[in-house]
Amino acid sequence: MGWVSNGVVGSPAFAAFDQGYDVFLGNFRGLVSREHVDKNISLRQYWRFSINEHGTEDIPAMIEKIHEVKTAELKLGHPNEETNDEQPYKLCAISHSMGGAAMLMYVIIRRIEEKPHRLSRLVLLSPAGFHDETSFLFTVAHYICLLLAPILALFVPALYIPTRFFRMLFNKLVRDFHNYPAVGGLVQTILSYGFGGDSSNWVGVLGLPHYNMNDMPGLSFRVIHHLAQIKRTKKFRMYDFGSKAVNMEVYGSPEPIDLGEYYSLIDIPVDLVAGKKDQIITSSMVKKHYRLMKDSGVDVSYNEFEYGHLDFTFAHHEELLAFVMSRLLLVEPDLKLQSSPKKALKLKKTGQARSGVSSD
């Protein structure tokens, strides 16, 4: 919802669409409705995922679906074109926060597995991955999570509001925050203070349509535990299962894969963007990504804006829209698919050769 919450005028997704891109919006697993192909999946099974699953299952599923859609469209638009192994479109990914960490994980793991990642450029807005510096609240949560992980994993598979009744009460409360500015302002101040002074519009975000009595996002305990592991080790690593035998089975080594050590495998340009007012993922942590990538020979850029953490998607900033579009325009479209006016017109009806995917 963050990518389209500002409507046609202020949305990054609509801005890309207006420039002629096909836009695909990706969303990670983790809703209280627990929609799943297995209708009988248990609560514990559903929430048993970390950032690993976002990067190695969710994003591959999104991108393979995009590939399926685009190749089918382009075959319809160009029935006489000879097919070969070359990808007939360019795909850029714009990701925010945890989406940025998962997108980096996706690219690196696909390169390790020698599989195509199908991407031409990454634009990462305040990406997660390094969390050495966090607010007092998150630091306390980090220590509690690490100390009590075995117990919490048994009784708290995820953080979410469990019933329709309580979600309705929560929704009513959020509406009151908007209807009574004094109350909303007080809650905004408390939340901002709790998140280390981050200036994002926390109350406004809670009023987005996907927070309703029927459904809303939840946060898996394993994701929280994974972030706590990253903070403790000060490394951007995959999930540590706590058993050398299990790690060996999953990763082929007794320790999880340190993704930072494999940044040299990133073979596409990466644009990193940090927020000077961001206290969830501070600019120094985004710079840590930048330094590692630069040392590894990655084609990487770094920029900062006067934003809080949620401002990258929720707030309306013309300068950010202009920056993101300038990055996307650096990727040249496949000219073979736009070689004549007639073909270009046909392609416009079925979808442009350039595409963008957003994830959070």
Side-chain angles (χ1 to χ4, degrees):
M1 289 301 299
W3 297 108
V4 294
S5 60
N6 287 305
V8 176
V9 177
S11 158
F14 280 111
F17 179 78
D18 289 341
Q19 290 292 326
Y21 289 87
D22 284 346
V23 179
F24 298 83
L25 299 175
N27 196 38
F28 290 149
R29 67 184 73 190
L31 294 170
V32 297
S33 59
R34 303 208 313 271
E35 293 182 11
H36 198 275
V37 289
D38 179 4
K39 301 300 181 185
N40 299 315
I41 191 170
S42 70
L43 184 74
R44 195 170 304 282
Q45 285 176 312
Y46 178 83
W47 292 106
R48 193 179 176 83
F49 62 86
S50 65
I51 304 173
N52 279 22
E53 281 70 24
H54 292 329
T56 62
E57 295 181 10
D58 295 350
I59 292 178
M62 297 173 199
I63 290 182
E64 289 309 307
K65 186 61 179 180
I66 292 169
H67 181 68
E68 177 188 323
V69 169
K70 289 307 305 174
T71 50
E73 283 184 355
L74 293 170
K75 281 178 183 177
L76 284 174
H78 302 269
N80 298 321
E81 289 281 345
E82 291 185 11
T83 58
N84 52 43
D85 294 334
E86 187 178 347
Q87 185 171 297
Y89 61 90
K90 299 292 178 68
L91 182 65
C92 302
I94 309 169
S95 304
H96 174 244
S97 194
M98 197 184 301
M103 194 63 73
L104 287 171
M105 182 186 293
Y106 163 75
V107 170
I108 291 168
I109 295 303
R110 296 293 277 199
R111 293 277 287 140
I112 290 173
E113 294 175 346
E114 298 183 338
K115 296 178 180 178
H117 54 65
R118 307 194 188 285
L119 296 170
S120 298
R121 193 177 197 97
L122 291 179
V123 181
L124 306 181
L125 310 176
S126 192
F130 292 109
H131 302 278
D132 312 358
E133 299 175 5
T134 53
S135 67
F136 176 76
L137 179 68
F138 285 130
T139 301
V140 170
H142 152 75
Y143 285 114
I144 292 173
C145 182
L146 290 176
L147 288 171
L148 303 178
I151 299 171
L152 291 173
L154 292 174
F155 298 102
V156 188
L159 298 180
Y160 61 94
I161 302 174
T163 66
R164 281 171 56 90
F165 175 74
F166 285 110
R167 290 196 290 272
M168 180 186 68
L169 288 182
F170 175 82
N171 207 244
K172 175 66 169 64
L173 192 63
V174 170
R175 285 203 302 273
D176 288 343
F177 294 160
H178 289 273
N179 294 333
Y180 300 99
V183 177
L186 177 62
V187 173
Q188 170 67 27
T189 302
I190 293 171
L191 289 174
S192 180
Y193 180 79
F195 291 128
D198 188 279
S199 60
S200 301
N201 185 1
W202 299 99
V203 172
V205 167
L206 294 175
L208 289 176
H210 64 310
Y211 287 93
N212 58 70
M213 68 178 183
N214 295 313
D215 210 356
M216 63 175 57
L219 188 59
S220 162
F221 175 76
R222 274 205 175 184
V223 169
I224 300 171
H225 191 211
H226 194 171
L227 292 171
Q229 291 176 356
I230 289 172
K231 178 174 173 59
R232 176 177 59 82
T233 60
K234 298 183 178 181
K235 294 179 179 179
F236 180 23
R237 305 200 311 174
M238 299 189 77
Y239 185 73
D240 187 348
F241 293 93
S243 163
K244 289 185 177 181
V246 177
N247 285 341
M248 183 65 74
E249 182 181 346
V250 175
Y251 306 118
S253 66
E255 294 293 323
I257 296 172
D258 183 347
L259 296 166
E261 292 183 354
Y262 289 89
Y263 274 4
S264 59
L265 294 179
I266 300 174
D267 58 347
I268 53 175
V270 179
D271 300 298
L272 299 172
V273 184
K276 292 181 180 179
K277 297 179 181 178
D278 192 336
Q279 298 301 316
I280 306 300
I281 300 172
T282 62
S283 59
S284 62
M285 294 296 95
V286 181
K287 284 178 183 175
K288 193 169 181 179
H289 282 292
Y290 175 75
R291 287 193 297 270
L292 272 174
M293 289 184 188
K294 202 72 176 172
D295 292 343
S296 300
V298 179
D299 181 2
V300 59
S301 71
Y302 175 84
N303 287 270
E304 287 184 353
F305 292 95
E306 294 283 345
Y307 298 165
H309 188 65
L310 299 180
D311 293 341
F312 287 101
T313 56
F314 185 68
H316 174 201
H317 293 293
E318 289 287 351
E319 59 180 350
L320 180 64
L321 296 184
F323 171 78
V324 170
M325 291 312 306
S326 72
R327 299 293 95 186
L328 296 184
L329 291 169
L330 292 175
V331 178
E332 293 294 328
D334 192 328
L335 297 178
K336 288 192 301 180
L337 296 175
Q338 299 179 346
S339 56
S340 69
K342 188 178 289 186
K343 286 187 176 182
L345 180 63
K346 203 169 196 177
L347 185 59
K348 182 66 178 177
K349 292 178 180 177
T350 58
Q352 297 284 351
R354 297 177 295 179
S355 305
V357 57
S358 305
S359 66
D360 193 358

